[in-house]
Amino acid sequence: MRRFNGRRFFACTPSKPVDDCKTGTETIRAMPHSANSNEPLVKIRGLRFFRGDRPIFDGVDIDIPRGSITAIMGPSGTGKTTLLKLIGGQLRPQAGTIHVDGQDVHRLALRDLYKLRMRMGMLFQSGALLTDINVYENVAYPLREHTRLPQSMIRKLVLMKLEAVGLRGARDLMPAELSGGMARRVALARAIALDPMMIMYDEPFTGQDPISMGVLAQLIRRLNSASSLTSMVVSHDVHETAEIADITYVIANGEVVASGPSKEVLNSDCPWVRQFMRGEADGPVPLHFPTKRSLEEDILGEAHRKTGTCR
Amino acid sequence: MPLMESLAQLGRIGLGIFERLGRGHLLLAHILAGLGPLAVRPRLLIIQIHSVGVLSLLIITVSGLFVGMVLALQGHYTLSQFGAEDSLGIMVAAALVRELGPVVTALLFAGRAGSALTAEIGLMKATEQLSGLEMMAVDPVKRVLTPRFLAGLISMPLLAAIFSMVGVLGGHFVGIGLLGVDEGAYWSQMQAKIDLHEDIYNGVIKSLVFGFVCTWIALFQGYDATPTSEGVSRATTRTVVHSALAVLGLDFVLTALMFGD
Ligand SMILES: Nc1ncnc2c1ncn2[C@@H]1O[C@H](COP(=O)(O)OP(=O)(O)OP(=O)(O)O)[C@@H](O)[C@H]1O
Ligand SMILES: [Mg+2]
């Protein structure tokens, strides 16, 4: 087991992150937000998930403590979105368990899964707004589906949520008339419409200008402290995210390579993390999608291999 | 081992077909399970009847008119050789109500409404709208597919009836207006010979079956599409091709069962 900064509560190892994770999260559990129960809200154990033969996750353990903001970082294509879909029960892992609020997501009956999802908000990377209804109706949608509130009440709630993301003035626009960043913020307003117990944000900051980025970060922070909400933020925006997140997990190559309080992870000497945080092309995290042949072989074909062996 | 290779290939294709069939039936069961909850939200259904049925009216009436007119021309040519021009009415009406109404309407429906359904559902999948609904704890099949299915089922017989009606008028226009057939004979023969059970009901049953199959195919292709632009475009093509083949094949079977004694 490699240890890079000697601190006990900080884990940085690609091979066996579990033990250190525990010590890492122990400190977090004592945080002021942590609610009624000491159990983490989301508990992932031994998660294995394959796309075809390619492992996306190979034995991942993650704890999301209640009331915290947890950041999940990692290079593009490591499976961050996949992780959120696994937690939401939209994908089924080949092995391992995911417990949300004490319930095993993949063993629930469909009805119970839907009940659980009502308490989980998810902000999709693409926004995933319904394109045939306008912004107002999109935000009102979950309220109309799951509550029997009168119209006037729904109106108040929708306008409040839209105000929170700074888009009250855009309520009559259709999704096609929004920019990518605006669509994401409308989707956020929709995700918080039902006041869920946890929200999963998939890349909330991409496509936002510095102002709305700051507003969003504040909003996520505020939502979290106002109610006993638990948040998971998947993001590439290292510093923006580390600013608001209590805990950070860094995923690469299907494993948790680093985890612990955000500040520690951010300032760590761990090469995996340092490469990712500083955006270096060279390092333990490969930029390239896995392949069996070298670039020379791919480009020059068999000829290269033959001359290569001759020499 | 080219033989083994091609045998294995054949097996894979066969398995693929059966797997799709299985998924199609599971989806159908899921869609049907949504009919109950739909009863409390009639608005969803009305919106879909508008987009699936009402918006298909133009193409259905125009096609019905021309098919009726051509039928009268062709029929008149044949009938006049036997001096039986007076039977033009019954000939036009029977052909439309028994055969052309349900079949041509279904083919047009697949092209107009079915392809639109597939593209819509496929794009909703590609843009994660269906996933989004799932995560909002809304069942996308019951919420999105079921109303469209029922709308197709309701619209098809009505469209086929309108097609036949307009066709009879088109035949009347050509037969009486251009070819000089006796108007009284045109209507009275039709009234006397077209049977409510034998012709009309059977025609309605046909178009109900076609409505069921065409909408089912369209929804399944959209829901099962590869969530990319290419996948959606291929699914749309498959909807039209599969619907056309299914309608023509089923038409033969149904006709043999109903009229062949
Ligand atoms: N439907 C799919 N079929 C097959 N493979 C998929 C599918 N969706 C994703 N993958 C693969 O799974 C891996 C993880 O994808 P995922 O979308 O979770 O990445 P990500 O970490 O969210 O990346 P990004 O930061 O770019 O959003 C990718 O390498 C991708 O190739
Ligand atoms: Mg992603």
Side-chain angles (χ1 to χ4, degrees):
Chain A
M1 186 178 300
R2 285 187 277 170
R3 189 161 287 160
F4 288 90
N5 55 3
R7 268 179 272 232
R8 284 215 48 228
F9 48 79
F10 173 67
C12 172
T13 154
S15 51
K16 213 163 161 283
V18 197
D19 312 341
D20 294 59
C21 271
K22 272 190 196 139
T23 42
T25 44
E26 219 82 66
T27 46
I28 304 302
R29 278 187 199 142
M31 297 222 350
H33 301 306
S34 54
N36 34 22
S37 164
N38 274 335
E39 270 281 286
L41 185 66
V42 179
K43 200 167 92 181
I44 301 177
R45 288 291 173 270
L47 182 70
R48 286 162 63 82
F49 181 77
F50 287 74
R51 288 276 192 196
D53 293 333
R54 197 157 57 87
I56 306 291
F57 296 112
D58 205 349
V60 164
D61 303 85
I62 292 178
D63 283 328
I64 313 288
R66 288 172 198 268
S68 70
I69 298 182
T70 304
I72 309 279
M73 297 194 198
S76 181
T78 38
K80 302 182 296 297
T81 303
T82 308
L83 179 67
L84 297 189
K85 290 197 167 166
L86 283 163
I87 295 175
Q90 295 192 304
L91 295 173
R92 188 166 276 280
Q94 272 80 11
T97 56
I98 299 180
H99 285 87
V100 176
D101 201 22
Q103 294 174 289
D104 186 340
V105 174
H106 298 99
R107 279 168 191 272
L108 285 178
L110 200 61
R111 184 178 300 249
D112 297 324
L113 180 61
Y114 273 87
K115 263 191 206 139
L116 184 63
R117 279 182 185 158
M118 245 183 262
R119 300 191 290 143
M120 297 196 233
M122 172 140 167
L123 178 66
F124 281 78
Q125 209 163 354
S126 58
L129 295 176
L130 296 170
T131 46
D132 54 343
I133 49 180
N134 66 17
V135 165
Y136 177 92
E137 287 301 324
N138 260 293
V139 180
Y141 194 93
L143 293 168
R144 292 199 207 285
E145 281 294 323
H146 297 305
T147 68
R148 292 182 180 281
L149 296 173
Q151 288 302 323
S152 58
M153 190 68 190
I154 290 186
R155 193 183 136 79
K156 280 194 196 105
L157 281 171
V158 171
L159 293 183
M160 263 165 53
K161 306 291 178 192
L162 280 174
E163 175 74 19
V165 296
L167 287 175
R168 190 164 47 86
R171 61 174 177 262
D172 292 326
L173 296 181
M174 295 302 282
E177 298 169 309
L178 302 174
S179 74
M182 286 161 81
R184 197 95 34 82
R185 279 190 280 159
V186 174
L188 174 56
R190 183 177 70 174
I192 58 178
L194 283 176
D195 292 320
M197 65 175 175
M198 72 177 281
I199 304 187
M200 298 184 273
Y201 304 88
D202 197 351
E203 309 280 1
F205 303 126
T206 338
Q208 303 292 347
D209 61 78
I211 301 174
S212 51
M213 192 133 124
V215 170
L216 269 182
Q218 283 310 311
L219 182 66
I220 292 175
R221 186 80 264 183
R222 216 172 51 232
L223 280 171
N224 221 73
S225 44
S227 36
S228 59
L229 197 74
T230 306
S231 309
M232 281 181 78
V233 183
V234 161
S235 180
H236 293 131
D237 288 87
V238 173
H239 295 282
E240 204 64 44
T241 312
E243 194 90 332
I244 56 167
D246 306 311
I247 311 168
T248 296
Y249 281 87
V250 180
I251 306 180
N253 302 340
E255 294 177 328
V256 173
V257 293
S259 64
S262 301
K263 295 263 156 18
E264 311 294 338
V265 174
L266 194 60
N267 298 325
S268 82
D269 303 331
C270 171
W272 296 79
V273 181
R274 213 177 45 204
Q275 183 203 354
F276 183 66
M277 300 289 175
R278 299 191 189 156
E280 293 160 358
D282 248 350
V285 183
L287 164 72
H288 298 285
F289 195 83
T291 164
K292 293 197 176 69
R293 284 143 62 98
S294 70
L295 178 66
E296 286 80 7
E297 260 178 282
D298 255 351
I299 292 177
L300 301 174
E302 290 302 310
H304 167 78
R305 195 182 287 185
K306 286 199 184 100
T307 53
T309 47
C310 276
R311 277 170 206 163
Chain B
M1 302 282 271
L3 183 66
M4 287 309 282
E5 264 304 292
S6 44
L7 268 181
Q9 184 67 22
L10 205 66
R12 266 195 295 277
I13 293 175
L15 282 179
I17 291 175
F18 280 109
E19 204 190 316
R20 283 177 80 82
L21 267 177
R23 280 204 305 271
H25 282 86
L26 286 179
L27 181 68
L28 181 63
H30 198 162
I31 288 175
L32 294 179
L35 285 176
L38 183 61
V40 292
R41 292 165 170 268
R43 231 187 94 77
L44 286 177
L45 179 63
I46 290 167
I47 294 172
Q48 290 312 320
I49 291 185
H50 176 78
S51 76
V52 168
V54 178
L55 296 182
S56 303
L57 267 179
L58 185 67
I59 187 173
I60 295 292
T61 43
V62 172
S63 312
L65 187 71
F66 280 107
V67 168
M69 283 163 42
V70 169
L71 264 181
L73 278 178
Q74 296 280 19
H76 185 265
Y77 171 75
T78 312
L79 291 174
S80 65
Q81 300 200 333
F82 307 99
E85 294 98 328
D86 285 351
S87 303
L88 187 66
I90 161 88
M91 198 231 101
V92 169
L96 281 169
V97 171
R98 285 176 162 212
E99 209 44 63
L100 292 172
V103 171
V104 178
T105 304
L107 295 177
L108 292 171
F109 181 90
R112 162 66 184 71
S115 58
L117 283 178
T118 304
E120 187 187 15
I121 306 284
L123 281 173
M124 283 182 88
K125 185 177 175 188
T127 53
E128 295 196 302
Q129 292 182 54
L130 297 184
S131 275
L133 285 177
E134 258 178 32
M135 284 309 298
M136 279 194 281
V138 175
D139 186 337
V141 172
K142 292 182 181 168
R143 189 62 165 68
V144 176
L145 268 60
T146 303
R148 285 165 173 75
F149 179 77
L150 193 56
L153 203 60
I154 292 173
S155 300
M156 183 76 89
L158 295 176
L159 289 173
I162 292 170
F163 184 96
S164 299
M165 195 186 72
V166 175
V168 167
L169 289 179
H172 176 268
F173 173 68
V174 168
I176 286 106
L178 298 180
L179 303 171
V181 175
D182 180 53
E183 185 170 10
Y186 186 85
W187 290 121
S188 63
Q189 289 248 3
M190 199 187 297
Q191 251 179 338
K193 293 279 165 51
I194 293 288
D195 183 65
L196 184 64
H197 290 269
E198 182 80 345
D199 299 310
I200 310 244
Y201 285 177
N202 281 342
V204 170
I205 291 174
K206 270 190 182 178
S207 58
L208 267 176
V209 172
F210 295 160
F212 185 97
V213 171
C214 285
T215 322
W216 177 21
I217 290 177
L219 293 176
F220 174 67
Q221 291 296 351
Y223 194 72
D224 205 51
T226 317
T228 59
S229 10
E230 197 212 359
V232 173
S233 107
R234 272 202 266 163
T236 312
T237 309
R238 273 203 301 270
T239 292
V240 177
V241 173
H242 290 191
S243 299
L245 292 178
V247 164
L248 295 173
L250 277 172
D251 184 48
F252 176 75
V253 175
L254 287 173
T255 308
L257 286 177
M258 288 168 173
F259 305 113
D261 35 16

